[in-house]
Amino acid sequence: MMASSSETSKESTIKTSKHAFHKACKDMDFRLKMQFLRKLGFSGLAVGKYLKNNDLDMFQFWKGVDQNDPEIFQLVRDEVYSHKRNEKVDQLLAKNKSRRFQNREISWFIYGFCRFYSDESFWKDTIIRQKFQLQDSQLTEIESDYKGNFAERQYLMMMIWMKANRLKNIEKTIIKLKKLHLDIPETFAPTSEAGSSTGETDPLSAVHDSPEMKHHKTEPEDSDSDSSVDSVKGNKVNKLVDTTAEKLRQHLRTVVDEKCGREYGRAVEPVDLVLVKYTGQKDNDREKEQEKLARMVDEGNELKGDITIENMFERAKIEAGDIEKDKKSVGVVGAVGVGKSTLTKVIVQKVLDKKILSNASLVFYITVGSIDLRRETNLFELLFCSLITEGSLSIDKAEKRELINFILKDPNTIVLIDGLDEAKTKRLKKGHPTVLPFVKAKPMALLYNILNGKLLKNAYKLVTSRITQFIDASPEYRPKFVLEILGLAPSEQQKLARCVCGEQFDRVWKILQDNPALLECCVVPVNMLMALTFLLGRRGTSGNITLTGVYIAMLNRYIRSKHCSFEKGMDVVKMLCDLAFDGWQKNKSLFSDEDLEQFKIPLATQQAFVNTAVDSEDGLAISILQQDKVSYFVHRSWQELLVALRLVLFMPLNEFKSFLENAFESGDLENVLKFCFGICKDNVFEKARRLSPAAKVDEIDEKKKFLCLIAESKSKKLSESVTESDKVHDMQKWFHIFACLNELGSDDISLPVTKLLPTVADITGSVFSSDITNMASLYKLNNITLNLRNVYLSFVGNALQSFGKFVQEHRVKIDDFILQHCPDEQLPFAGSFLPHVETFYVESSGSLHDSTDSIRKNVLTLARSIKDGLLQIDHPHQIEVLYLTDIPFGDEGVSILSSGVGKVAELDIENVGMTSVGAVKLGEHLEMETTQSMVRLNITHNEVGDIGACAITKSIHKMKKLEMRGCGITCKGMPGITQNILNSQTKIPCLDLLGNKFGDNGAQELAKCLHLVEELDLCDCDITSTGTDALAGGLSKLQTPMDKLDLGNNPIGDLGAAAMSKCLSNVKSLGLGSGRYADRGCGITSDGVSHITSGLLSLQEPMQYLNLTSNNFGDDGAKKLSKCLHQAKRLNLHKCGITSTGGAALVDGLSTLQTPMEKLRLDWKLKSCIDADDLKILESKVKKLDWW
């Protein structure tokens, strides 16, 4: 038991926290107010009653309670629990005349059950009418008596059913409910009895989380007996879970081996896919809501570097912040065939091999495309469908419930959902009712509830989808952390090609290199495999090859190979096209035997399109339709191609126009439309028409014209959608048009579109080399000059090389270029377009982030590429900003870059691993430059030391701003730096020496040259009052005042404040508070403020800015400052210990001002202590009032 004094202290802490959070968060969404008590396991009634009585935001209250302190934790539980016994339940009990319901425990059980089924329509239609079979007359009477109170109506309906079935206790009620296949709610109670005013046991303790509940006990039982029963039961459940887990693992190993191991006729080694964080999600409401908590929630630091399978769930936890449902959820998006399914299988393999999530218990792999979405099922059947189909899982109903209840709570279950886009996603745009585990529902309803955390909330979850369908989904179903698969790096393409082609690699690879448009598509793994398989059987090496041409040629040759033996006159392709189109219209990817019979597809045809291996003679490997219990297209690309063939070859012209009229607006038709353009290409159409004797060839010209017409129409819409004031296009929206026209390959038909191409645009996101090639081909036709305002790109495959070539050939002007990511092999081309760029940023990630030997080579390659690009520039300072922060160039890399420094106005090489060696080399090149002054040089956080700093400052007169924060400069280097400043004999606009520990000796040296420095930052330099005296002496000698002097985070104390107060007239802005990277202040008390006040009152003109942050001078200091507020235009008093008393004094001082102060920063806590009238005075007397 806690000591009474300790308990009083803890309770006081809780009350204080409640008050503070109540003030700060009274406007929060009520839904967030449920989270705190839900964590403690209380029912809805306890939560609601407590919150209603206190009007508290419990989400924030929970943030203020130390969860690791068991005493505070228990007090909170007990305090909340005391509100459970409330008048509402007593009133309900009083209305019921029967004594059998006077027992408080059964009443609480009834209420808990009712709240568990809180969906009103489900309660009335399923529970009451179907399960309980109550009469409508009974329902009408209850609904008329209790209008607007659904909870009371539920309670009374439940009592009527229990009376009719003579259910007098919890035990019998539970048995009856289980017979009706209804779930029992999970509820928990505090371990302490402090909340019970009557000494009774917790009324909810009779209801436990297992379906095999402990019975409600009327007599005490032996505790050892209970423990023994629990132990036996636990062992039984564990054995069941272990057996089931092993069966799942055996099945998954078979699936992974079959799908990945030999799909292409030979053992294909795994290849690495490029994974990056997807940054193109639409804004979602929960993120906006979280912005309100910005000052209370600690944001996780983003991990740097490439995202790997091994770290993606760690990253998800960080990205999720306080959103519980997303802490173990990962989304994966990517283009068609880019490897989403392959990635999930690789993850399964790594889990089975215990390389990731080694504590995994049960692993479920759900492929949406193989589920019958029309048939209702439950959670057990959805998860275990593969084992049920195989007949390898035979358990009774009780064991099923044991398994599901284990899975619902197990934190080590893994669920992988592959191909969410293969089902209807319109419902993903809005909410979906809760589905219970053992209630039958449509499969997508169950998947929705898994995604939004209502089911399997403790499990690890990964879901894959195409990008368009995924970002259109409601934030409720989207994980916060989303990966994008960019495809295969060039080296991985070659690795895969060597594996598939064997001895023919050189010949096949040469064909790909001679057809760059096809090679660029091969960044997508499925396209790569298609192209390789096709080219293995191709004898010639000439001619332009498109992706559509590869698909058509493969299909053409396959149906004529020995794999297919059809009856004479059978139109196989027509049958498959009809099946694919019917499924597309009905949004169905799973086909039954009835579907195949409907389109007259015989067994021989079905078997011909089951997965086949590479035949050494034919060199063919194709997978179109996979046959099992049901049939489905093994890849969506095949269904899309067949739909396109159905449209071009068989559909009448009027229907064709009607179907594709708005195709460019539909994300679902993106690839279908591209295939349609490709089929209409002359040489491809000649092969496509041979696929079926029923092909309509007479309308092809009209269809081709119509396709070009809708492309032109879409281009006009994009052109007209840009505002007159901005006129900046989003080039990503044009890429689909470019791709379609490139597949068609007709310059004449493309000309009308080229006249509408944007001249000013932004490009952001991920780009493939084919995107750049397609864009370049159209701009080449009309010779249009393009200005790219903002380029923020991840380059896939050879895209960076293609982009550099496009920029150079078309003289593209780029304002801001940010290189987010590119393959290592493409780094030599990173600087190729520097002559056309104004600002150039390289993000440090992946292959540019670490300092290992392999990474070192990449970094030096980048340095040489940038140097070569800079040397191509004719004019000095043509590059406005070159930003290379956090890239580990080291001395060697900096030495390489130094030769081009004269072409850069601002160079930012912060934290690049430079020492004095690199700094000396950089200093030599700076000295050799005879051009105008460099705008800014930032070498912050490089340990250049005294020697390096002296070498750099020899050219300080050529710089407008020099930043050397945290560079290891000591008092030994300060004489050299000072002398370099004195030798310059010109004003230095800005010198930043923050974080260099040169102390008082260094300050004394700098005091000699203050007349040559306009802005000087000396934060956190270990300067005391002695050094401050020297600086004050230097300031007092100035003819004209300094613009800025910052002494923040230096322990100058009151003596230092007194010294600076004597020369306030010689500095416009003075920092005596906290600095950028620390929050210690200068140790100034109320006595020091007295000196500052005297100095301010003696000024003839007010100071521009005075920063006194983090000096705890309190209300006394605030009162003194209130007398001279007119002498500072901007004042920072954040974290100065000012309370309501000091705030009132500041208000009084401000009220006397003739001219409003420009800016005042105060603690945000102080705002709640100031009354409304004083707030109005503050707002009227301060132009920008900043509560921080």
Side-chain angles (χ1 to χ4, degrees):
M1 182 69 72
M2 291 187 298
S4 59
S5 61
S6 174
E7 181 171 334
T8 303
S9 174
K10 299 293 184 182
E11 289 177 334
S12 175
T13 300
I14 292 172
K15 290 178 180 178
T16 303
S17 299
K18 287 195 298 185
H19 176 75
F21 285 113
H22 171 63
K23 287 285 186 183
C25 308
K26 59 185 178 182
D27 61 336
M28 290 297 295
D29 191 320
F30 182 79
R31 291 173 299 168
L32 294 178
K33 296 182 181 181
M34 304 298 285
Q35 295 188 14
F36 168 71
L37 294 178
R38 288 298 193 191
K39 283 188 176 183
L40 299 180
F42 291 108
S43 67
L45 184 62
V47 176
K49 182 68 177 177
Y50 183 80
L51 295 173
K52 184 176 180 181
N53 287 352
N54 292 275
D55 191 26
L56 287 177
D57 178 13
M58 299 315 299
F59 179 77
Q60 294 306 318
F61 181 66
W62 179 243
K63 296 291 295 182
V65 175
D66 185 2
Q67 300 179 54
N68 297 319
D69 187 329
E71 294 178 343
I72 288 186
F73 187 84
Q74 189 61 49
L75 276 172
V76 175
R77 289 173 63 99
D78 295 342
E79 179 182 338
V80 174
Y81 184 61
S82 66
H83 288 269
K84 273 189 167 183
R85 315 306 176 106
N86 59 79
E87 298 178 1
K88 192 66 177 179
V89 173
D90 293 333
Q91 292 172 3
L92 292 173
L93 294 174
K95 292 178 181 178
N96 176 32
K97 297 179 182 179
S98 175
R99 290 185 179 181
R100 70 182 62 148
F101 291 112
Q102 294 300 316
N103 184 302
R104 294 179 67 92
E105 296 183 0
I106 188 67
S107 299
W108 274 101
F109 171 73
I110 294 172
Y111 191 87
F113 179 82
C114 293
R115 289 293 81 207
F116 191 64
Y117 291 96
S118 57
D119 183 273
E120 187 168 1
S121 60
F122 182 83
W123 173 266
K124 285 182 62 176
D125 298 337
T126 304
I127 304 290
I128 298 302
R129 290 194 171 93
Q130 296 180 24
K131 304 290 186 180
F132 290 177
Q133 297 183 347
L134 297 185
Q135 300 297 319
D136 286 343
S137 58
Q138 295 172 302
L139 305 183
T140 303
E141 182 180 353
I142 293 173
E143 288 176 347
S144 63
D145 291 341
Y146 298 95
K147 291 181 179 179
N149 194 329
F150 176 56
E152 289 189 22
R153 295 201 300 271
Q154 275 187 296
Y155 188 90
L156 293 175
M157 291 174 189
M158 181 81 174
M159 289 198 301
I160 291 173
W161 172 75
M162 292 179 68
K163 287 180 188 178
N165 289 272
R166 298 182 180 181
L167 302 174
K168 300 181 181 180
N169 58 40
I170 293 177
E171 178 184 0
K172 290 183 179 180
T173 304
I174 291 174
I175 293 172
K176 184 68 174 178
L177 291 171
K178 288 174 67 177
K179 287 182 179 180
L180 295 174
H181 303 291
L182 292 171
D183 290 313
I184 311 301
E186 298 179 20
T187 52
F188 302 85
T191 56
S192 168
E193 294 181 4
S196 176
S197 58
T198 61
E200 301 174 11
T201 58
D202 175 25
L204 296 181
S205 63
V207 188
H208 286 248
D209 55 348
S210 169
E212 304 293 325
M213 296 180 170
K214 293 180 181 179
H215 296 319
H216 174 59
K217 299 174 179 59
T218 55
E219 296 180 3
E221 295 183 10
D222 183 67
S223 59
D224 292 338
S225 174
D226 287 346
S227 176
S228 175
V229 171
D230 289 343
S231 177
V232 171
K233 182 180 173 183
N235 290 336
K236 180 181 177 183
V237 173
N238 291 337
K239 185 176 180 180
L240 175 64
V241 171
D242 291 342
T243 303
T244 307
E246 184 56 33
K247 290 180 180 179
L248 278 172
R249 288 174 181 271
Q250 291 175 0
H251 171 75
L252 288 174
R253 286 193 184 278
T254 303
V255 170
V256 171
D257 290 343
E258 287 180 355
K259 297 292 183 184
C260 297
R262 306 194 61 84
E263 186 172 354
Y264 292 91
R266 63 177 79 238
V268 177
E269 296 178 16
V271 291
D272 293 331
L273 295 167
V274 180
L275 302 177
V276 297
K277 179 184 175 182
Y278 179 67
T279 56
Q281 290 190 53
K282 293 181 177 179
D283 292 337
N284 63 60
D285 294 336
R286 73 169 173 235
E287 286 179 347
K288 294 177 181 177
E289 205 164 55
Q290 291 298 314
E291 288 178 2
K292 297 179 183 178
L293 314 178
R295 294 191 178 95
M296 299 181 182
V297 180
D298 291 328
E299 297 179 356
N301 293 322
E302 183 178 343
L303 296 174
K304 293 183 178 180
D306 273 353
I307 296 161
T308 64
I309 292 174
E310 286 74 17
N311 72 13
M312 61 184 179
F313 282 108
E314 295 176 16
R315 182 73 176 269
K317 183 177 180 181
I318 292 173
E319 297 284 345
D322 290 313
I323 305 172
E324 289 295 329
K325 83 174 188 65
D326 288 338
K327 288 187 176 180
K328 298 170 77 174
S329 298
V330 174
V332 178
V333 297
V336 178
V338 79
K340 298 185 293 294
S341 298
T342 300
L343 180 68
T344 59
K345 292 163 189 171
V346 171
I347 292 171
V348 169
Q349 186 66 60
K350 285 182 178 287
V351 171
L352 296 180
D353 294 340
K354 296 190 179 297
K355 292 181 178 178
I356 60 171
L357 301 177
S358 56
N359 294 326
S361 52
L362 296 163
V363 185
F364 300 102
Y365 178 52
I366 302 172
T367 53
V368 177
S370 62
I371 300 173
D372 188 347
L373 301 177
R374 298 167 296 176
R375 176 179 168 272
E376 288 194 344
T377 186
N378 59 31
L379 182 61
F380 179 85
E381 293 172 354
L382 177 70
L383 296 176
F384 291 97
C385 61
S386 57
L387 296 186
I388 294 171
T389 303
E390 290 179 354
S392 59
L393 186 65
S394 178
I395 58 177
D396 58 29
K397 289 184 177 180
E399 290 175 323
K400 288 181 182 179
R401 285 187 172 269
E402 293 284 4
L403 267 178
I404 288 299
N405 277 285
F406 172 84
I407 293 167
L408 289 173
K409 294 180 289 182
D410 179 41
N412 295 317
T413 292
I414 303 173
V415 182
L416 298 103
I417 302 171
D418 184 27
L420 189 67
D421 54 287
E422 296 189 31
K424 286 186 176 179
T425 54
K426 291 182 179 178
R427 290 298 298 271
L428 284 172
K429 295 184 179 181
K430 54 185 179 180
H432 198 283
T434 302
V435 176
L436 299 174
F438 291 100
V439 175
K440 292 274 188 178
K442 291 291 180 68
M444 287 310 298
L446 289 165
L447 291 176
Y448 295 153
N449 278 262
I450 291 173
L451 292 175
N452 65 17
K454 293 179 181 177
L455 289 176
L456 307 181
K457 64 180 179 180
N458 297 320
Y460 289 97
K461 294 182 276 286
L462 182 141
V463 57
T464 72
S465 174
R466 294 189 189 183
I467 295 175
T468 303
Q469 289 84 346
F470 194 80
I471 63 175
D472 281 344
S474 165
E476 183 181 0
Y477 304 111
R478 287 201 313 255
K480 181 73 180 275
F481 182 54
V482 184
L483 302 179
E484 182 179 2
I485 303 178
L486 300 184
L488 296 167
S491 60
E492 298 301 305
Q493 292 179 29
Q494 290 198 40
K495 179 180 176 181
L496 183 59
R498 287 183 186 279
C499 188
V500 173
C501 300
E503 296 177 355
Q504 298 189 58
F505 167 76
D506 291 335
R507 180 182 68 82
V508 171
W509 193 251
K510 185 179 186 305
I511 298 174
L512 284 173
Q513 289 181 316
D514 292 341
N515 293 272
L518 179 59
L519 180 59
E520 287 152 9
C521 292
C522 290
V523 70
V524 178
V526 72
N527 295 348
M528 183 70 175
L529 291 166
M530 285 285 188
L532 293 174
T533 309
F534 166 69
L535 294 174
L536 279 172
R538 181 182 173 88
R539 297 294 178 260
T541 60
S542 62
N544 181 30
I545 305 173
T546 63
L547 188 63
T548 309
V550 172
Y551 273 81
I552 294 296
M554 288 186 65
L555 183 58
N556 221 324
R557 294 182 63 226
Y558 182 74
I559 62 174
R560 289 167 173 76
S561 71
K562 66 181 182 182
H563 294 292
C564 304
S565 55
F566 309 124
E567 295 179 14
K568 189 175 182 180
M570 183 179 295
D571 197 343
V572 176
V573 172
K574 177 70 165 59
M575 295 174 182
L576 290 173
C577 288
D578 290 342
L579 176 68
F581 186 72
D582 182 71
W584 190 270
Q585 285 189 308
K586 297 176 180 177
N587 203 22
K588 181 172 65 174
S589 57
L590 203 67
F591 304 98
S592 63
D593 291 339
E594 290 78 10
D595 294 322
L596 300 177
E597 290 174 6
Q598 176 186 348
F599 295 100
K600 302 178 181 179
I601 301 177
L603 181 61
T605 302
Q606 299 170 31
Q607 292 174 343
F609 289 94
V610 174
N611 282 340
T612 57
V614 174
D615 187 294
S616 59
E617 297 177 13
D618 291 344
L620 293 170
I622 194 166
S623 302
I624 298 180
L625 191 67
Q626 180 165 314
Q627 183 192 16
D628 198 351
K629 297 287 183 181
V630 290
S631 299
Y632 55 94
F633 293 96
V634 295
H635 198 279
R636 192 176 177 90
S637 297
W638 277 113
Q639 187 171 2
E640 289 169 331
L641 175 71
L642 292 168
V643 170
L645 285 169
R646 170 73 164 71
L647 295 171
V648 177
L649 298 183
F650 309 115
M651 183 175 280
L653 181 60
N654 290 338
E655 294 181 26
F656 177 85
K657 290 182 177 181
S658 176
F659 189 84
L660 292 179
E661 186 175 5
N662 297 309
F664 273 108
E665 312 299 332
S666 172
D668 291 337
L669 286 172
E670 181 175 335
N671 283 284
V672 172
L673 187 59
K674 188 161 68 172
F675 278 133
C676 286
F677 275 86
I679 294 168
C680 289
K681 186 176 181 179
D682 293 340
N683 63 338
V684 176
F685 181 74
E686 286 302 316
K687 295 176 182 177
R689 62 184 293 183
R690 299 176 201 160
L691 292 171
S692 170
K696 299 178 182 295
V697 298
D698 55 329
E699 296 179 336
I700 184 61
D701 290 336
E702 291 298 320
K703 289 182 178 179
K704 186 188 297 186
K705 289 179 182 178
F706 178 75
L707 289 174
C708 296
L709 187 65
I710 61 173
E712 184 179 355
S713 175
K714 175 63 177 178
S715 301
K716 287 181 179 178
K717 285 183 180 179
L718 289 176
S719 297
E720 294 168 357
S721 65
V722 179
T723 61
E724 285 294 327
S725 59
D726 194 7
K727 293 188 177 180
V728 179
H729 290 258
D730 180 357
M731 192 63 81
Q732 286 279 6
K733 295 179 180 179
W734 287 81
F735 281 168
H736 187 205
I737 299 174
F738 298 159
C740 289
L741 293 174
N742 188 68
E743 283 289 313
L744 182 59
S746 172
D747 292 350
D748 294 337
I749 293 177
S750 300
L751 276 175
V753 173
T754 63
K755 296 177 181 178
L756 300 168
L757 293 178
T759 57
V760 182
D762 293 338
I763 308 181
T764 60
S766 303
V767 294
F768 297 87
S769 188
S770 55
D771 296 329
I772 305 300
T773 304
N774 296 336
M775 176 173 64
S777 63
L778 287 181
Y779 274 88
K780 184 179 179 180
L781 287 176
N782 212 6
N783 197 25
I784 298 173
T785 301
L786 176 61
N787 176 21
L788 295 175
R789 292 267 295 273
N790 297 293
V791 179
Y792 182 31
L793 294 177
S794 289
F795 292 95
V796 187
N798 298 320
L800 182 59
Q801 183 180 1
S802 300
F803 185 73
K805 184 179 179 182
F806 168 65
V807 169
Q808 292 176 39
E809 290 181 353
H810 295 271
R811 307 290 297 176
V812 178
K813 181 179 178 297
I814 303 175
D815 293 352
D816 296 323
F817 181 90
I818 302 176
L819 176 58
Q820 185 181 20
H821 178 275
C822 76
D824 297 346
E825 298 85 352
Q826 291 287 293
L827 288 172
F829 306 101
S832 59
F833 39 83
L834 275 174
H836 306 273
V837 175
E838 290 185 0
T839 62
F840 184 69
Y841 297 76
V842 179
E843 289 195 351
S844 170
S845 63
S847 59
L848 300 177
H849 176 60
D850 213 337
S851 57
T852 60
D853 290 340
S854 59
I855 303 302
R856 190 97 183 123
K857 294 178 181 177
N858 292 332
V859 168
L860 295 180
T861 299
L862 174 65
R864 293 187 187 97
S865 177
I866 293 174
K867 181 203 72 172
D868 293 340
L870 291 173
L871 294 179
Q872 294 175 26
I873 298 174
D874 298 327
H875 306 290
H877 296 180
Q878 183 172 319
I879 302 294
E880 293 183 2
V881 180
L882 180 58
Y883 184 90
L884 303 173
T885 292
D886 294 329
I887 301 174
F889 287 112
D891 292 327
E892 187 177 357
V894 171
S895 298
I896 293 170
L897 291 167
S898 297
S899 58
V901 72
K903 307 299 174 65
V904 181
E906 292 189 37
L907 178 60
D908 200 323
I909 49 173
E910 180 177 336
N911 190 32
V912 298
M914 177 173 61
T915 68
S916 60
V917 176
V920 168
K921 192 70 175 178
L922 178 60
E924 290 174 358
H925 282 281
L926 288 169
E927 281 190 89
M928 289 188 290
E929 293 296 332
T930 58
T931 56
Q932 70 242 42
S933 298
M934 178 179 271
V935 175
R936 173 174 164 266
L937 174 62
N938 180 12
I939 61 168
T940 294
H941 296 149
N942 290 291
E943 286 293 326
V944 300
D946 297 328
I947 296 174
C950 288
I952 296 292
T953 53
K954 285 181 181 179
S955 303
I956 196 169
H957 58 286
K958 298 180 180 179
M959 306 172 201
K960 294 183 178 179
K961 184 173 184 179
L962 175 59
E963 298 177 38
M964 295 194 295
R965 299 188 294 274
C967 288
I969 304 170
T970 69
C971 59
K972 295 179 181 179
M974 293 311 295
I977 294 173
T978 301
Q979 191 60 49
N980 287 335
I981 296 173
L982 292 171
N983 291 341
S984 68
Q985 297 182 354
T986 57
K987 281 275 189 178
I988 310 301
C990 182
L991 176 60
D992 189 344
L993 296 174
L994 178 150
N996 293 290
K997 311 298 184 179
F998 44 71
D1000 293 333
N1001 291 336
Q1004 289 168 356
E1005 289 294 330
L1006 286 171
K1008 302 173 184 178
C1009 61
L1010 293 182
H1011 61 288
L1012 292 174
V1013 183
E1014 295 180 3
E1015 293 186 10
L1016 182 60
D1017 192 335
L1018 300 179
C1019 284
D1020 201 15
C1021 292
D1022 287 352
I1023 300 171
T1024 68
S1025 58
T1026 303
T1028 310
D1029 282 337
L1031 292 169
L1035 283 173
S1036 63
K1037 298 176 183 178
L1038 297 182
Q1039 299 292 325
T1040 57
M1042 284 184 72
D1043 288 340
K1044 176 183 175 183
L1045 175 63
D1046 198 339
L1047 294 171
N1049 287 334
N1050 287 298
I1052 66 173
D1054 293 335
L1055 291 177
M1060 294 306 300
S1061 67
K1062 298 174 183 178
C1063 54
L1064 294 183
S1065 60
N1066 283 337
V1067 60
K1068 296 178 182 178
S1069 296
L1070 179 61
L1072 298 176
S1074 59
R1076 260 172 287 189
Y1077 304 127
D1079 205 15
R1080 296 189 299 272
C1082 291
I1084 300 172
T1085 68
S1086 177
D1087 292 338
V1089 173
S1090 298
H1091 296 294
I1092 293 171
T1093 302
S1094 299
L1096 287 171
L1097 290 173
S1098 67
L1099 295 177
Q1100 295 181 358
E1101 293 184 3
M1103 292 187 70
Q1104 294 293 326
Y1105 178 55
L1106 177 61
N1107 180 7
L1108 295 173
T1109 308
S1110 301
N1111 291 296
N1112 194 24
F1113 46 71
D1115 294 332
D1116 287 341
K1119 290 176 182 177
K1120 294 171 182 177
L1121 285 170
S1122 67
K1123 301 174 183 178
C1124 58
L1125 294 178
H1126 61 288
Q1127 292 292 65
K1129 293 183 179 180
R1130 292 179 295 140
L1131 182 61
N1132 192 341
L1133 300 179
H1134 176 52
K1135 290 188 177 180
C1136 291
I1138 301 172
T1139 67
S1140 58
T1141 304
L1146 291 173
V1147 171
D1148 292 341
L1150 287 167
S1151 64
T1152 63
L1153 295 183
Q1154 299 296 320
T1155 305
M1157 181 180 285
E1158 291 184 5
K1159 184 177 179 180
L1160 175 63
R1161 175 174 288 182
L1162 298 169
D1163 286 350
W1164 67 276
K1165 294 180 181 178
L1166 185 59
K1167 186 176 182 180
S1168 61
C1169 304
I1170 299 177
D1171 61 37
D1173 292 337
D1174 286 348
L1175 274 177
K1176 288 181 180 179
I1177 295 172
L1178 277 173
E1179 291 169 356
S1180 65
K1181 293 297 182 178
V1182 181
K1183 293 180 181 178
K1184 185 176 181 181
L1185 186 58
D1186 194 357
W1187 299 102
W1188 195 256

